Amino acid sequence: MRDSYGRTIDYLRVSVTDRCNLRCIYCMPESGIPHIDHSAILRLEEIQCLVELIHEALTLRKIRITGGEPLVRRGIVSLVKGISPLAETVMTTNGILFPENAADLRAAGLSRVNISVDSLKDEVIRKVTRRDVTLNMIEKAIEAAKENSLDPIKLNCVVLKGVNFGELSDMIRWAEDMGTTMRFIEHMPMTGSVCSYVPRDEILREISAGMGQAEQIATEGTADMYVTDSGIKFGIIAPVAGGMCANCTRLRLTAEGELLPCLAGGESLNLRDMLRSGSSESEIISAVRDLVAKKPHHGACGGVSMWRIGG
Ligand code: SAM
Ligand code: SF4
């Protein structure tokens, strides 16, 4: 379905849990997230039902399973099996639990995976995730994705001054060696965040200083894709610097069943309450269509809780 800005809204990101096995400094407070009552979180059958209705309303092209960490949600493989016949089904994960789940996810119909990696140095990865995570664990996740043909694999890195800013060129080369593509994400400010924001232009300057002038070659969804002098591709996702809204085809369903047309705020729809209060399928479908028709176009994204919304 097209919205009032002529964008075809056909990409649904589903946060299946607000829980996570890591505590990344740019995403969650060290103490974890505020406790949400279990009953407020959608059951797997409810997620399945709402995704089917949203698909009926919009005709989805792609569904991304995210979180929190999607692989900490019990029953995730059967959810993937249930929704993958509807549209291309992909996942964003921190990779920790991925190797033991990769084959089952593939068999359930998952087609691709994005894996988060914020440094090549174990001590920096530990500092960012606030957990005992190593590069080797992330490399095992990448290998598992390759072995199960879950590719192309995209790697997501949130750029943080004083943390990983000096490693960007090395990460691009390492990702190429691993047979994957590195994508750098501008840090989006959150309440109480301990990280400073590095704008797209500064990220590009740093990479050009390390690898020579990079040339923009394409836009893939919300990522601007570049190629280095030596022919290696990488991406930059710049929600804060702006320019993403014109190509934004996304809707987000939170673990609590709220349908959000935009990260920067505005109107949303509580589908959990509609479902639990007995709204009919046609009422839900038409409410989704009404919301999508009003999807905003701000120019840039604002402060959010990523573990809630799913990035
Ligand atoms: N746990 C999974 C992971 O980390 O890949 C999926 C959920 S995570 C919220 C989805 C994406 O959001 C990750 O790539 C993460 O790096 C990104 N993210 C989290 N907090 C962010 C922030 N404050 N600014 C920009 N990206 C952020
Ligand atoms: Fe967890 Fe992903 Fe947030 Fe890190 S970015 S705390 S892995 S949800």
Side-chain angles (χ1 to χ4, degrees):
M1 176 184 160
R2 279 182 186 254
D3 71 359
S4 60
Y5 294 93
R7 299 169 296 189
T8 301
I9 310 306
D10 57 4
Y11 175 16
L12 179 68
R13 296 174 72 101
V14 183
S15 175
V16 294
T17 178
D18 54 349
R19 302 294 155 113
C20 189
N21 45 358
L22 306 183
R23 293 286 179 272
C24 301
I25 54 175
Y26 48 73
C27 179
M28 280 198 188
E30 187 157 18
S31 53
I33 53 169
H35 179 73
I36 298 175
D37 194 78
H38 196 64
S39 63
I41 301 293
L42 291 176
R43 295 188 296 275
L44 292 179
E45 320 81 79
E46 291 176 317
I47 298 177
Q48 171 81 35
C49 174
L50 289 176
V51 172
E52 282 172 8
L53 293 175
I54 295 168
H55 179 60
E56 189 140 348
L58 306 176
T59 311
L60 297 171
R61 170 185 53 89
K62 181 161 90 173
I63 301 166
R64 179 171 301 280
I65 307 290
T66 176
E69 172 50 39
L71 295 178
V72 303
R73 177 91 198 234
R74 221 173 295 155
I76 189 69
V77 172
S78 47
L79 180 69
V80 168
K81 192 168 180 189
I83 64 175
S84 60
L86 302 175
E88 184 191 22
T89 301
V90 302
M91 179 177 281
T92 301
T93 170
N94 61 33
I96 305 303
L97 299 172
F98 191 72
E100 67 221 60
N101 284 292
D104 289 346
L105 287 167
R106 174 69 187 171
L110 193 77
S111 58
R112 284 190 293 114
V113 72
N114 288 2
I115 299 173
S116 295
V117 50
D118 293 312
S119 173
L120 302 180
K121 299 176 187 163
D122 289 350
E123 69 274 18
V124 177
I125 296 175
R126 285 194 195 101
K127 179 178 164 181
V128 171
T129 61
R130 300 191 180 107
R131 290 291 182 271
D132 193 14
V133 181
T134 61
L135 183 66
N136 184 253
M137 291 160 82
I138 299 166
E139 288 182 336
K140 282 191 176 144
I142 296 169
E143 292 304 339
K146 283 201 263 184
E147 278 160 22
N148 288 283
S149 308
L150 290 161
D151 46 27
I153 304 159
K154 296 174 186 168
L155 304 179
N156 291 340
C157 165
V158 179
V159 178
L160 304 168
K161 256 291 170 51
V163 179
N164 58 14
F165 192 56
E167 292 186 63
L168 308 186
S169 300
D170 288 344
M171 291 182 83
I172 292 172
R173 292 188 196 97
W174 166 80
E176 165 87 352
D177 288 347
M178 294 293 295
T180 62
T181 308
M182 203 66 232
R183 302 177 337 150
F184 299 106
I185 310 176
E186 282 182 345
H187 171 243
M188 295 178 68
M190 289 170 14
T191 326
S193 172
V194 291
C195 309
S196 63
Y197 155 69
V198 187
R200 168 180 41 208
D201 291 352
E202 211 176 324
I203 297 174
L204 256 183
R205 270 200 302 279
E206 175 68 15
I207 294 169
S208 297
M211 308 191 76
Q213 197 63 37
E215 187 195 335
Q216 186 171 351
I217 47 165
T219 303
E220 283 176 12
T222 50
D224 290 331
M225 298 307 299
Y226 298 83
V227 65
T228 66
D229 254 358
S230 49
I232 310 179
K233 255 175 78 174
F234 69 93
I236 299 183
I237 299 169
V240 184
M244 278 180 30
C245 296
N247 297 320
C248 180
T249 60
R250 305 165 174 203
L251 276 185
R252 293 172 165 87
L253 181 65
T254 71
E256 293 164 86
E258 213 176 334
L259 190 65
L260 308 172
C262 180
L263 264 184
E267 222 175 293
S268 65
L269 184 64
N270 192 321
L271 290 179
R272 178 198 63 204
D273 288 354
M274 286 189 81
L275 195 65
R276 291 184 185 174
S277 64
S279 296
S280 68
E281 291 189 355
S282 59
E283 281 168 337
I284 293 177
I285 290 169
S286 83
V288 169
R289 289 178 151 266
D290 287 349
L291 186 77
V292 166
K294 290 181 270 176
K295 179 174 159 74
H297 187 311
H298 290 102
C301 302
V304 290
S305 299
M306 286 299 189
W307 43 266
R308 183 172 163 260
I309 294 175

